[in-house]
Amino acid sequence: MFYKFVNLPIFTEIGSNILNRFETILQENNLYFKKPLILTGDTSGNIIKGYSFYNAFEKHHIGMYYDEDLIINIRKEIIDEGFDLIIGCGGGRIIDLGKYLSSETLTPFISIPTILSNDGVSSPISILRLDGSYRRVGSTMPIGVAIDINIIKSSPTIYLKAGLGDLISNVSAFYDWNLAYRRRKDRYDNFSAMMAYMAASNVLDKMSSYDNIVGTDFLIDLARGLVVSGISIAIARTSRPASGSEHSISHALDRILGPNRRPHGIQVGFATLLTLYLQGQRKLMESLKKFYRKVGFPVTFLELGISKETFVEAVKLAPSIRERYTILNEVSKGEIMEAIEEVYEG
């Protein structure tokens, strides 16, 4: 018999006041560590400093910027000091660094995000920001994910919008991956694709029930969706379940805009409107745009803060960013221009 073996989190805890129970959660899952190390930043450190585990464990604060020498020093410290657990408390920068160091030192990692801006909270991929550029590297899956909705609720709404955009884009990525498979351009894993799609569709199906993006129901659904999305990447052993033409457009915007780029999930969610239209999912696109307006997500170039010309340039560049077959490989430049005129306002 044939099976696929995948490392998955031992626990996923999502709810209110989760961090007040953090040490109990470890015990309930038969996890015991002698010397944990907390990686956190200045802002996230202030957010979690009132919790008992924060004061009980060793800490390493990461400043706004870090370089390769700092990563090497922390890696050496983990090995030399005998830390047996890495806990990443913070945004994507801290979580990604923790996952990477976990992989480098073979030390278990627990993810405690203080914002929900993307599915990196549970994915086996780290984006390291070094010398003003991004390095994408494979890393270790966390053995646990703890998301305290009370902390997420007080985070800046731009991160919640980014998380929404990153999660919703799975619907576009699902179509693109299946398209590539039908055109014999890529392999396909139906189980991981289904997981990523359902993670997004759960939020899409309930759009009318959300009053705003700081409500508990929405935040729990967003957190669950992003965790499942990250796990789907681990199962597929590729980011394709959660990354298609919309991500290629966002990566192209990164290249064009450089330091003036918008948050990843905002760019991805904005581009998803176009890719859904090109894929023929136009009813869904209209429903999504209506929800975007409701929660203040950008639906115009003015709201996104870039020019129409810049976006058009990014869409043209997108197919060459990565060797992935998507809907952008099947439509003409004329069709794309007509779609952009139809989809975006202003």
Side-chain angles (χ1 to χ4, degrees):
M1 300 181 72
F2 297 95
Y3 298 93
K4 178 183 288 188
F5 294 93
V6 182
N7 291 322
L8 298 176
I10 295 172
F11 70 84
T12 301
E13 294 283 345
I14 300 171
S16 299
N17 300 313
I18 290 297
L19 294 193
N20 283 325
R21 300 182 52 251
F22 182 72
E23 291 159 295
T24 301
I25 290 170
L26 294 182
Q27 295 170 7
E28 289 173 346
N29 288 278
N30 298 311
L31 296 172
Y32 301 92
F33 301 96
K34 293 181 179 180
K35 196 173 182 180
L37 172 68
I38 298 175
L39 290 180
T40 188
D42 294 333
T43 301
S44 51
N46 287 329
I47 290 172
I48 65 170
K49 67 181 179 182
Y51 296 97
S52 61
F53 78 93
Y54 179 82
N55 297 304
F57 302 154
E58 295 285 335
K59 291 171 284 294
H60 201 307
H61 286 269
I62 309 300
M64 183 63 69
Y65 303 100
Y66 59 82
D67 56 24
E68 197 162 355
D69 287 339
L70 178 62
I71 295 176
I72 292 172
N73 289 336
I74 299 175
R75 179 174 57 194
K76 185 176 185 301
E77 181 182 344
I78 292 170
I79 296 171
D80 291 348
E81 297 294 326
F83 290 108
D84 56 356
L85 174 67
I86 301 171
I87 304 171
C89 301
R93 182 173 56 94
I94 299 296
I95 300 298
D96 281 355
L97 180 58
K99 289 187 296 184
Y100 174 74
L101 289 169
S102 171
S103 178
E104 287 286 291
T105 62
L106 302 180
T107 306
F109 173 73
I110 292 178
S111 173
I112 303 181
T114 54
I115 61 174
L116 287 177
S117 59
N118 57 60
D119 56 19
V121 296
S122 62
S123 75
I125 298 171
S126 289
I127 307 297
L128 300 182
R129 308 172 195 181
L130 299 171
D131 300 324
S133 62
Y134 291 81
R135 285 176 49 198
R136 180 186 178 91
V137 296
S139 59
T140 301
M141 287 284 290
I143 65 166
V145 181
I147 302 178
D148 194 313
I149 294 302
N150 290 348
I151 290 176
I152 301 301
K153 187 173 292 190
S154 62
S155 65
T157 56
I158 190 170
Y159 295 125
L160 300 179
K161 293 174 186 178
L164 169 65
D166 197 43
L167 178 60
I168 293 302
S169 73
N170 288 8
V171 179
S172 168
F174 175 86
Y175 181 100
D176 280 336
W177 197 16
N178 187 267
L179 174 67
Y181 173 69
R182 287 186 280 114
R183 297 291 188 266
R184 302 192 180 194
K185 302 291 185 178
D186 207 342
R187 65 178 182 82
Y188 187 68
D189 182 281
N190 190 63
F191 182 70
S192 60
M194 177 182 64
M195 281 185 65
Y197 181 88
M198 292 178 65
S201 64
N202 178 58
V203 170
L204 287 169
D205 291 345
K206 297 166 67 175
M207 286 188 295
S208 61
S209 70
Y210 302 128
D211 293 327
N212 51 59
I213 58 172
V214 294
T216 299
D217 289 344
F218 171 78
L219 292 179
I220 288 176
D221 287 341
L222 176 64
R224 288 173 175 167
L226 290 173
V227 169
V228 171
S229 181
I231 291 174
S232 74
I233 293 173
I235 293 173
R237 295 188 174 92
T238 171
S239 61
R240 286 226 65 160
S243 176
S245 50
E246 72 298 321
H247 272 67
S248 294
I249 294 172
S250 178
H251 293 318
L253 283 171
D254 290 344
R255 184 176 296 183
I256 295 167
L257 296 172
N260 296 318
R261 57 186 171 270
R262 303 300 177 263
H264 169 76
I266 299 293
Q267 292 182 169
V268 166
F270 186 83
T272 295
L273 293 173
L274 174 64
T275 57
L276 288 177
Y277 185 94
L278 293 172
Q279 293 165 352
Q281 304 189 75
R282 299 180 184 181
K283 185 176 180 180
L284 175 59
M285 185 276 292
E286 290 293 348
S287 298
L288 180 58
K289 187 192 290 188
K290 182 178 179 181
F291 181 59
Y292 276 176
R293 290 195 193 99
K294 180 180 178 180
V295 300
F297 193 101
V299 295
T300 71
F301 296 114
L302 180 62
E303 291 171 350
L304 182 62
I306 68 170
S307 68
K308 178 180 175 181
E309 291 72 24
T310 297
F311 186 77
V312 169
E313 182 184 354
V315 175
K316 291 178 179 178
L317 176 63
S320 65
I321 291 291
R322 304 182 73 177
E323 292 186 6
R324 286 188 171 178
Y325 195 88
T326 72
I327 190 63
L328 297 178
N329 296 102
E330 299 218 340
V331 292
S332 67
K333 292 181 180 178
E335 290 173 309
I336 290 174
M337 292 303 300
E338 290 178 8
I340 289 174
E341 293 292 337
E342 184 70 24
V343 170
Y344 300 111
E345 305 164 17

